[in-house]
Amino acid sequence: MTTPDLRELPRSLTPLSDESLPGYLLRLSCRLHVPVAHTAARTGLARRASTNANVFLPVRLLHRADDNLLANFIRTTRLSAVEATNLFTFPLGDRYGPLNPELMSHSNSRPLVRNARWFFGRWTRYCPDCLTGDGSPIQNQLGGPWKRHWRLPTVFACPRHRALLHNACPQCGNAALTDATNFLPRAATEPLHPTLCRAPTHTRYLRAPQPPTCKNDLAKTASTTVDDATMSVVLALQNRLLDLHNPHGPAVISSVGWQQSPAQYFLDLRAVTWLILLSWPDTQRYALTPTLADAVARTAENARIAAQGQRDRPGKRHPSIAYTDPPIDPLAAAAVFGIAEQLLATDYDATFGIFSPLITRARSIEPTMGHLQRALHASQPLRVTLSHHKHDVWKRGRERLVREHPELTPM
C-alpha cells in the first residue's frame, strides 16, 4: 500500500551497475540539490519530521525495505521493481551465506543485519577509480557507483582497475560513509557531491557546535601499492570469489572435499578465518607471497591483543570475537581468504592431517569452540573436521556424516 501524499520526484536517476541504496540516494540528492534526508523523506524511506536533522536511516533498511516502503520508493523514483530491489543487499544473500536468512536462521532482516559482523552495514570499502566514473556525462557530473559488493568482507580489490580497495578517507582517517546509527552520515547537511567524504573533521562533544565536514574527494585517493607478484595473486583470488558472488556463477564448489553451495561456502570461509588467525604462524606456509604473510601476521597479532583486552575486561567477555571478525584491511583480507581458500580446497581424506595440528594449536590459545559447532557457522563436513582432533574420532564422525546425510555429495 502506497502513501498518497508522496508525489513523484521532479527528476530521477537510473541506477548504475551494482549500485547500493546509499550511493543512489547520494547521487539523486546531488542531482536534486537537496540534503539526503530530504530525498529519503520524499521517497518514503524515512518518516517526515519537522526538521531533516531528525531523519533516521537504519542499517536494516540498507539490506531490505518492507513492501510498503519499497512500493513508495518505486513510485516516487519511477524505478522498476527490479531496479529498486537491486539497490538493496538482500539479493546478495542468495550467494553470500552471512546474508542468507535460511542459513543464518533469521526470519527477518533486522537481527540478520543489526548484529552482522561479516557485513559492513555502517561503513564501506571503495575504489577511487570506480567513484570517478566511466566518462559518461551523468557519471562525469555525479560520479560512479558506491557498490553493494563493497559492503562484503570478501570483496577487497577491483579487478577492473587492478587495485586494492580502500577503507578510509586519507585526509580525516574516518571509514568511508561511516555513521554510528544510520547507513549514511550527515544526511541533513547541505547537498554534497557523492564522492566527497561526509565525516566530521573532529569528535563532536556534548553541547559543542556541529563540527565541519571533511569534504575530501575520495575519488582522488591514491592507490595502495604492493609488489606485482602479490597483486597478481590478490586479483586472481578476487576474481574467483566474485565468480561465486555472481548469480550466474558456479552452482557448487568443493569445501573440504564436499559439494557446497556458494552461500554455504562463504560460511565455511568465515569459519576457517578463525582457525587461520588462531593457529598463526602454523598457517604461514600457505601464504603465497611474503607481503601476504606479513599482512596475516599483523592481523593475527592485532586479534591476539584485542582478545586479551576482552579477557581482561570485567563482566561478560567474548575473546573469540577478535578472531572471528573479518580482516578490515583489504590486503589482510586477501591474505587470510587466500589461505582459507587453500584449506577448503583440501581433499576430504587429507583434511585430518592438515587441520588437526592447526586445531590443536588453536585450542591451546582459545579453548572455546562451541560456536563453530552450530549449523549456522559452518557446513556439516567442516564442522566434523573442526570438532574432531583425534584420528579415530574424526574417522567415525566422517562415517556418520556419510550415513546420516545422504544429501551431501563428495567431490
Side-chain angles (χ1 to χ4, degrees), residues 249-276:
V252 295
I253 184 171
S254 176
S255 178
V256 289
W258 295 74
Q259 285 187 5
Q260 299 293 346
S261 67
Q264 183 64 68
Y265 179 84
F266 281 116
L267 290 181
D268 285 359
L269 196 77
R270 181 183 66 171
V272 173
T273 294
W274 170 90
L275 185 64
I276 293 167

PDB file of all heavy atoms in Angstrom, residues 249-276:
ATOM      1  N   GLY A 249      27.249 -17.519 -11.645  1.00  0.00           N
ATOM      2  CA  GLY A 249      28.486 -18.236 -11.388  1.00  0.00           C
ATOM      3  C   GLY A 249      28.255 -19.699 -11.059  1.00  0.00           C
ATOM      4  O   GLY A 249      27.148 -20.224 -11.226  1.00  0.00           O
ATOM      5  N   PRO A 250      29.285 -20.384 -10.576  1.00  0.00           N
ATOM      6  CA  PRO A 250      29.182 -21.825 -10.278  1.00  0.00           C
ATOM      7  C   PRO A 250      28.061 -22.114  -9.288  1.00  0.00           C
ATOM      8  O   PRO A 250      27.847 -21.369  -8.334  1.00  0.00           O
ATOM      9  CB  PRO A 250      30.553 -22.156  -9.670  1.00  0.00           C
ATOM     10  CG  PRO A 250      31.462 -21.061 -10.141  1.00  0.00           C
ATOM     11  CD  PRO A 250      30.626 -19.837 -10.271  1.00  0.00           C
ATOM     12  N   ALA A 251      27.373 -23.230  -9.516  1.00  0.00           N
ATOM     13  CA  ALA A 251      26.285 -23.623  -8.622  1.00  0.00           C
ATOM     14  C   ALA A 251      26.803 -24.334  -7.393  1.00  0.00           C
ATOM     15  O   ALA A 251      26.173 -24.307  -6.331  1.00  0.00           O
ATOM     16  CB  ALA A 251      25.302 -24.523  -9.362  1.00  0.00           C
ATOM     17  N   VAL A 252      27.951 -25.006  -7.515  1.00  0.00           N
ATOM     18  CA  VAL A 252      28.546 -25.711  -6.376  1.00  0.00           C
ATOM     19  C   VAL A 252      30.048 -25.486  -6.389  1.00  0.00           C
ATOM     20  O   VAL A 252      30.638 -25.171  -7.430  1.00  0.00           O
ATOM     21  CB  VAL A 252      28.245 -27.230  -6.407  1.00  0.00           C
ATOM     22  CG1 VAL A 252      26.761 -27.500  -6.243  1.00  0.00           C
ATOM     23  CG2 VAL A 252      28.776 -27.864  -7.694  1.00  0.00           C
ATOM     24  N   ILE A 253      30.663 -25.676  -5.222  1.00  0.00           N
ATOM     25  CA  ILE A 253      32.106 -25.582  -5.084  1.00  0.00           C
ATOM     26  C   ILE A 253      32.529 -26.540  -3.985  1.00  0.00           C
ATOM     27  O   ILE A 253      31.760 -26.823  -3.059  1.00  0.00           O
ATOM     28  CB  ILE A 253      32.543 -24.135  -4.750  1.00  0.00           C
ATOM     29  CG1 ILE A 253      34.077 -24.042  -4.702  1.00  0.00           C
ATOM     30  CG2 ILE A 253      31.904 -23.643  -3.460  1.00  0.00           C
ATOM     31  CD1 ILE A 253      34.606 -22.624  -4.584  1.00  0.00           C
ATOM     32  N   SER A 254      33.730 -27.054  -4.085  1.00  0.00           N
ATOM     33  CA  SER A 254      34.218 -28.007  -3.104  1.00  0.00           C
ATOM     34  C   SER A 254      34.644 -27.304  -1.824  1.00  0.00           C
ATOM     35  O   SER A 254      35.349 -26.293  -1.856  1.00  0.00           O
ATOM     36  CB  SER A 254      35.407 -28.794  -3.668  1.00  0.00           C
ATOM     37  OG  SER A 254      35.944 -29.655  -2.682  1.00  0.00           O
ATOM     38  N   SER A 255      34.195 -27.845  -0.695  1.00  0.00           N
ATOM     39  CA  SER A 255      34.638 -27.372   0.620  1.00  0.00           C
ATOM     40  C   SER A 255      35.001 -28.598   1.441  1.00  0.00           C
ATOM     41  O   SER A 255      34.136 -29.433   1.708  1.00  0.00           O
ATOM     42  CB  SER A 255      33.532 -26.563   1.311  1.00  0.00           C
ATOM     43  OG  SER A 255      33.943 -26.138   2.593  1.00  0.00           O
ATOM     44  N   VAL A 256      36.257 -28.730   1.793  1.00  0.00           N
ATOM     45  CA  VAL A 256      36.839 -29.919   2.438  1.00  0.00           C
ATOM     46  C   VAL A 256      36.344 -31.203   1.777  1.00  0.00           C
ATOM     47  O   VAL A 256      36.025 -32.195   2.438  1.00  0.00           O
ATOM     48  CB  VAL A 256      36.595 -29.941   3.968  1.00  0.00           C
ATOM     49  CG1 VAL A 256      37.417 -28.883   4.650  1.00  0.00           C
ATOM     50  CG2 VAL A 256      35.128 -29.814   4.335  1.00  0.00           C
ATOM     51  N   GLY A 257      36.294 -31.184   0.447  1.00  0.00           N
ATOM     52  CA  GLY A 257      36.006 -32.385  -0.321  1.00  0.00           C
ATOM     53  C   GLY A 257      34.546 -32.690  -0.572  1.00  0.00           C
ATOM     54  O   GLY A 257      34.228 -33.744  -1.124  1.00  0.00           O
ATOM     55  N   TRP A 258      33.641 -31.766  -0.194  1.00  0.00           N
ATOM     56  CA  TRP A 258      32.211 -31.997  -0.383  1.00  0.00           C
ATOM     57  C   TRP A 258      31.593 -30.843  -1.165  1.00  0.00           C
ATOM     58  O   TRP A 258      32.006 -29.690  -1.022  1.00  0.00           O
ATOM     59  CB  TRP A 258      31.503 -32.116   0.968  1.00  0.00           C
ATOM     60  CG  TRP A 258      31.944 -33.316   1.757  1.00  0.00           C
ATOM     61  CD1 TRP A 258      33.132 -33.472   2.410  1.00  0.00           C
ATOM     62  CD2 TRP A 258      31.215 -34.521   1.946  1.00  0.00           C
ATOM     63  NE1 TRP A 258      33.186 -34.690   3.003  1.00  0.00           N
ATOM     64  CE2 TRP A 258      32.020 -35.369   2.745  1.00  0.00           C
ATOM     65  CE3 TRP A 258      29.960 -34.967   1.543  1.00  0.00           C
ATOM     66  CZ2 TRP A 258      31.612 -36.639   3.133  1.00  0.00           C
ATOM     67  CZ3 TRP A 258      29.541 -36.233   1.936  1.00  0.00           C
ATOM     68  CH2 TRP A 258      30.364 -37.060   2.714  1.00  0.00           C
ATOM     69  N   GLN A 259      30.601 -31.171  -1.983  1.00  0.00           N
ATOM     70  CA  GLN A 259      29.909 -30.133  -2.746  1.00  0.00           C
ATOM     71  C   GLN A 259      29.104 -29.238  -1.808  1.00  0.00           C
ATOM     72  O   GLN A 259      28.334 -29.731  -0.980  1.00  0.00           O
ATOM     73  CB  GLN A 259      28.961 -30.758  -3.773  1.00  0.00           C
ATOM     74  CG  GLN A 259      29.641 -31.348  -4.984  1.00  0.00           C
ATOM     75  CD  GLN A 259      28.653 -31.785  -6.040  1.00  0.00           C
ATOM     76  OE1 GLN A 259      27.449 -31.563  -5.916  1.00  0.00           O
ATOM     77  NE2 GLN A 259      29.158 -32.407  -7.095  1.00  0.00           N
ATOM     78  N   GLN A 260      29.291 -27.937  -1.974  1.00  0.00           N
ATOM     79  CA  GLN A 260      28.516 -26.961  -1.201  1.00  0.00           C
ATOM     80  C   GLN A 260      28.049 -25.850  -2.134  1.00  0.00           C
ATOM     81  O   GLN A 260      28.669 -25.579  -3.160  1.00  0.00           O
ATOM     82  CB  GLN A 260      29.356 -26.360  -0.069  1.00  0.00           C
ATOM     83  CG  GLN A 260      29.852 -27.349   0.954  1.00  0.00           C
ATOM     84  CD  GLN A 260      28.732 -27.964   1.780  1.00  0.00           C
ATOM     85  OE1 GLN A 260      27.598 -27.489   1.777  1.00  0.00           O
ATOM     86  NE2 GLN A 260      29.048 -29.044   2.490  1.00  0.00           N
ATOM     87  N   SER A 261      26.960 -25.211  -1.757  1.00  0.00           N
ATOM     88  CA  SER A 261      26.510 -24.037  -2.500  1.00  0.00           C
ATOM     89  C   SER A 261      27.465 -22.883  -2.210  1.00  0.00           C
ATOM     90  O   SER A 261      28.158 -22.879  -1.172  1.00  0.00           O
ATOM     91  CB  SER A 261      25.098 -23.644  -2.064  1.00  0.00           C
ATOM     92  OG  SER A 261      25.119 -23.175  -0.710  1.00  0.00           O
ATOM     93  N   PRO A 262      27.540 -21.881  -3.091  1.00  0.00           N
ATOM     94  CA  PRO A 262      28.375 -20.720  -2.778  1.00  0.00           C
ATOM     95  C   PRO A 262      28.018 -20.059  -1.458  1.00  0.00           C
ATOM     96  O   PRO A 262      28.900 -19.619  -0.718  1.00  0.00           O
ATOM     97  CB  PRO A 262      28.121 -19.793  -3.975  1.00  0.00           C
ATOM     98  CG  PRO A 262      27.789 -20.713  -5.101  1.00  0.00           C
ATOM     99  CD  PRO A 262      26.996 -21.818  -4.460  1.00  0.00           C
ATOM    100  N   ALA A 263      26.718 -19.988  -1.144  1.00  0.00           N
ATOM    101  CA  ALA A 263      26.307 -19.354   0.120  1.00  0.00           C
ATOM    102  C   ALA A 263      26.897 -20.096   1.311  1.00  0.00           C
ATOM    103  O   ALA A 263      27.413 -19.486   2.261  1.00  0.00           O
ATOM    104  CB  ALA A 263      24.782 -19.309   0.213  1.00  0.00           C
ATOM    105  N   GLN A 264      26.847 -21.435   1.279  1.00  0.00           N
ATOM    106  CA  GLN A 264      27.415 -22.221   2.372  1.00  0.00           C
ATOM    107  C   GLN A 264      28.932 -22.129   2.378  1.00  0.00           C
ATOM    108  O   GLN A 264      29.571 -22.111   3.439  1.00  0.00           O
ATOM    109  CB  GLN A 264      26.978 -23.673   2.237  1.00  0.00           C
ATOM    110  CG  GLN A 264      27.470 -24.564   3.371  1.00  0.00           C
ATOM    111  CD  GLN A 264      26.884 -24.168   4.704  1.00  0.00           C
ATOM    112  OE1 GLN A 264      25.701 -24.313   4.955  1.00  0.00           O
ATOM    113  NE2 GLN A 264      27.733 -23.630   5.588  1.00  0.00           N
ATOM    114  N   TYR A 265      29.530 -22.061   1.198  1.00  0.00           N
ATOM    115  CA  TYR A 265      30.991 -21.953   1.100  1.00  0.00           C
ATOM    116  C   TYR A 265      31.500 -20.705   1.816  1.00  0.00           C
ATOM    117  O   TYR A 265      32.525 -20.752   2.507  1.00  0.00           O
ATOM    118  CB  TYR A 265      31.411 -21.929  -0.368  1.00  0.00           C
ATOM    119  CG  TYR A 265      32.909 -21.788  -0.575  1.00  0.00           C
ATOM    120  CD1 TYR A 265      33.743 -22.901  -0.534  1.00  0.00           C
ATOM    121  CD2 TYR A 265      33.483 -20.543  -0.807  1.00  0.00           C
ATOM    122  CE1 TYR A 265      35.115 -22.773  -0.725  1.00  0.00           C
ATOM    123  CE2 TYR A 265      34.849 -20.400  -0.989  1.00  0.00           C
ATOM    124  CZ  TYR A 265      35.665 -21.520  -0.944  1.00  0.00           C
ATOM    125  OH  TYR A 265      37.025 -21.389  -1.120  1.00  0.00           O
ATOM    126  N   PHE A 266      30.781 -19.592   1.668  1.00  0.00           N
ATOM    127  CA  PHE A 266      31.236 -18.369   2.321  1.00  0.00           C
ATOM    128  C   PHE A 266      31.131 -18.475   3.842  1.00  0.00           C
ATOM    129  O   PHE A 266      31.913 -17.846   4.564  1.00  0.00           O
ATOM    130  CB  PHE A 266      30.458 -17.164   1.800  1.00  0.00           C
ATOM    131  CG  PHE A 266      30.936 -16.679   0.463  1.00  0.00           C
ATOM    132  CD1 PHE A 266      30.112 -16.736  -0.657  1.00  0.00           C
ATOM    133  CD2 PHE A 266      32.213 -16.169   0.311  1.00  0.00           C
ATOM    134  CE1 PHE A 266      30.561 -16.298  -1.897  1.00  0.00           C
ATOM    135  CE2 PHE A 266      32.670 -15.741  -0.925  1.00  0.00           C
ATOM    136  CZ  PHE A 266      31.849 -15.802  -2.025  1.00  0.00           C
ATOM    137  N   LEU A 267      30.195 -19.274   4.350  1.00  0.00           N
ATOM    138  CA  LEU A 267      30.159 -19.526   5.791  1.00  0.00           C
ATOM    139  C   LEU A 267      31.364 -20.369   6.216  1.00  0.00           C
ATOM    140  O   LEU A 267      31.943 -20.145   7.283  1.00  0.00           O
ATOM    141  CB  LEU A 267      28.856 -20.231   6.171  1.00  0.00           C
ATOM    142  CG  LEU A 267      27.581 -19.395   6.080  1.00  0.00           C
ATOM    143  CD1 LEU A 267      26.382 -20.221   6.515  1.00  0.00           C
ATOM    144  CD2 LEU A 267      27.680 -18.137   6.934  1.00  0.00           C
ATOM    145  N   ASP A 268      31.755 -21.325   5.385  1.00  0.00           N
ATOM    146  CA  ASP A 268      32.947 -22.117   5.684  1.00  0.00           C
ATOM    147  C   ASP A 268      34.200 -21.252   5.631  1.00  0.00           C
ATOM    148  O   ASP A 268      35.115 -21.407   6.440  1.00  0.00           O
ATOM    149  CB  ASP A 268      33.068 -23.275   4.695  1.00  0.00           C
ATOM    150  CG  ASP A 268      32.071 -24.398   4.970  1.00  0.00           C
ATOM    151  OD1 ASP A 268      31.303 -24.264   5.949  1.00  0.00           O
ATOM    152  OD2 ASP A 268      32.060 -25.382   4.210  1.00  0.00           O
ATOM    153  N   LEU A 269      34.241 -20.336   4.671  1.00  0.00           N
ATOM    154  CA  LEU A 269      35.374 -19.416   4.574  1.00  0.00           C
ATOM    155  C   LEU A 269      35.479 -18.586   5.850  1.00  0.00           C
ATOM    156  O   LEU A 269      36.575 -18.347   6.376  1.00  0.00           O
ATOM    157  CB  LEU A 269      35.189 -18.502   3.360  1.00  0.00           C
ATOM    158  CG  LEU A 269      36.414 -17.743   2.865  1.00  0.00           C
ATOM    159  CD1 LEU A 269      37.337 -18.667   2.089  1.00  0.00           C
ATOM    160  CD2 LEU A 269      35.988 -16.589   1.962  1.00  0.00           C
ATOM    161  N   ARG A 270      34.348 -18.156   6.351  1.00  0.00           N
ATOM    162  CA  ARG A 270      34.318 -17.386   7.598  1.00  0.00           C
ATOM    163  C   ARG A 270      34.850 -18.222   8.764  1.00  0.00           C
ATOM    164  O   ARG A 270      35.655 -17.741   9.572  1.00  0.00           O
ATOM    165  CB  ARG A 270      32.882 -16.933   7.885  1.00  0.00           C
ATOM    166  CG  ARG A 270      32.735 -16.108   9.139  1.00  0.00           C
ATOM    167  CD  ARG A 270      31.276 -15.755   9.406  1.00  0.00           C
ATOM    168  NE  ARG A 270      30.472 -16.944   9.713  1.00  0.00           N
ATOM    169  CZ  ARG A 270      29.216 -16.887  10.146  1.00  0.00           C
ATOM    170  NH1 ARG A 270      28.616 -15.719  10.289  1.00  0.00           N
ATOM    171  NH2 ARG A 270      28.553 -17.996  10.398  1.00  0.00           N
ATOM    172  N   ALA A 271      34.432 -19.475   8.861  1.00  0.00           N
ATOM    173  CA  ALA A 271      34.860 -20.335   9.955  1.00  0.00           C
ATOM    174  C   ALA A 271      36.364 -20.598   9.907  1.00  0.00           C
ATOM    175  O   ALA A 271      37.044 -20.587  10.942  1.00  0.00           O
ATOM    176  CB  ALA A 271      34.084 -21.653   9.918  1.00  0.00           C
ATOM    177  N   VAL A 272      36.901 -20.818   8.717  1.00  0.00           N
ATOM    178  CA  VAL A 272      38.323 -21.127   8.592  1.00  0.00           C
ATOM    179  C   VAL A 272      39.174 -19.891   8.872  1.00  0.00           C
ATOM    180  O   VAL A 272      40.325 -20.016   9.310  1.00  0.00           O
ATOM    181  CB  VAL A 272      38.607 -21.717   7.192  1.00  0.00           C
ATOM    182  CG1 VAL A 272      40.092 -21.883   6.952  1.00  0.00           C
ATOM    183  CG2 VAL A 272      37.905 -23.061   7.044  1.00  0.00           C
ATOM    184  N   THR A 273      38.622 -18.698   8.665  1.00  0.00           N
ATOM    185  CA  THR A 273      39.341 -17.473   9.026  1.00  0.00           C
ATOM    186  C   THR A 273      39.719 -17.497  10.503  1.00  0.00           C
ATOM    187  O   THR A 273      40.837 -17.123  10.883  1.00  0.00           O
ATOM    188  CB  THR A 273      38.470 -16.240   8.720  1.00  0.00           C
ATOM    189  OG1 THR A 273      38.286 -16.143   7.310  1.00  0.00           O
ATOM    190  CG2 THR A 273      39.120 -14.961   9.233  1.00  0.00           C
ATOM    191  N   TRP A 274      38.792 -17.939  11.344  1.00  0.00           N
ATOM    192  CA  TRP A 274      39.049 -18.066  12.773  1.00  0.00           C
ATOM    193  C   TRP A 274      40.246 -18.978  13.030  1.00  0.00           C
ATOM    194  O   TRP A 274      41.145 -18.657  13.811  1.00  0.00           O
ATOM    195  CB  TRP A 274      37.786 -18.620  13.436  1.00  0.00           C
ATOM    196  CG  TRP A 274      37.946 -19.043  14.863  1.00  0.00           C
ATOM    197  CD1 TRP A 274      37.775 -18.272  15.970  1.00  0.00           C
ATOM    198  CD2 TRP A 274      38.279 -20.350  15.328  1.00  0.00           C
ATOM    199  NE1 TRP A 274      37.991 -19.016  17.103  1.00  0.00           N
ATOM    200  CE2 TRP A 274      38.306 -20.297  16.735  1.00  0.00           C
ATOM    201  CE3 TRP A 274      38.564 -21.561  14.686  1.00  0.00           C
ATOM    202  CZ2 TRP A 274      38.610 -21.409  17.516  1.00  0.00           C
ATOM    203  CZ3 TRP A 274      38.862 -22.672  15.466  1.00  0.00           C
ATOM    204  CH2 TRP A 274      38.882 -22.584  16.856  1.00  0.00           C
ATOM    205  N   LEU A 275      40.273 -20.108  12.346  1.00  0.00           N
ATOM    206  CA  LEU A 275      41.337 -21.090  12.553  1.00  0.00           C
ATOM    207  C   LEU A 275      42.694 -20.550  12.102  1.00  0.00           C
ATOM    208  O   LEU A 275      43.718 -20.773  12.762  1.00  0.00           O
ATOM    209  CB  LEU A 275      40.996 -22.369  11.787  1.00  0.00           C
ATOM    210  CG  LEU A 275      41.943 -23.555  11.973  1.00  0.00           C
ATOM    211  CD1 LEU A 275      41.934 -24.033  13.412  1.00  0.00           C
ATOM    212  CD2 LEU A 275      41.549 -24.694  11.022  1.00  0.00           C
ATOM    213  N   ILE A 276      42.704 -19.842  11.001  1.00  0.00           N
ATOM    214  CA  ILE A 276      43.961 -19.299  10.464  1.00  0.00           C
ATOM    215  C   ILE A 276      44.598 -18.319  11.435  1.00  0.00           C
ATOM    216  O   ILE A 276      45.808 -18.377  11.712  1.00  0.00           O
ATOM    217  CB  ILE A 276      43.702 -18.625   9.107  1.00  0.00           C
ATOM    218  CG1 ILE A 276      43.303 -19.659   8.055  1.00  0.00           C
ATOM    219  CG2 ILE A 276      44.926 -17.831   8.640  1.00  0.00           C
ATOM    220  CD1 ILE A 276      42.726 -19.064   6.794  1.00  0.00           C
TER     221      ILE A 276
END
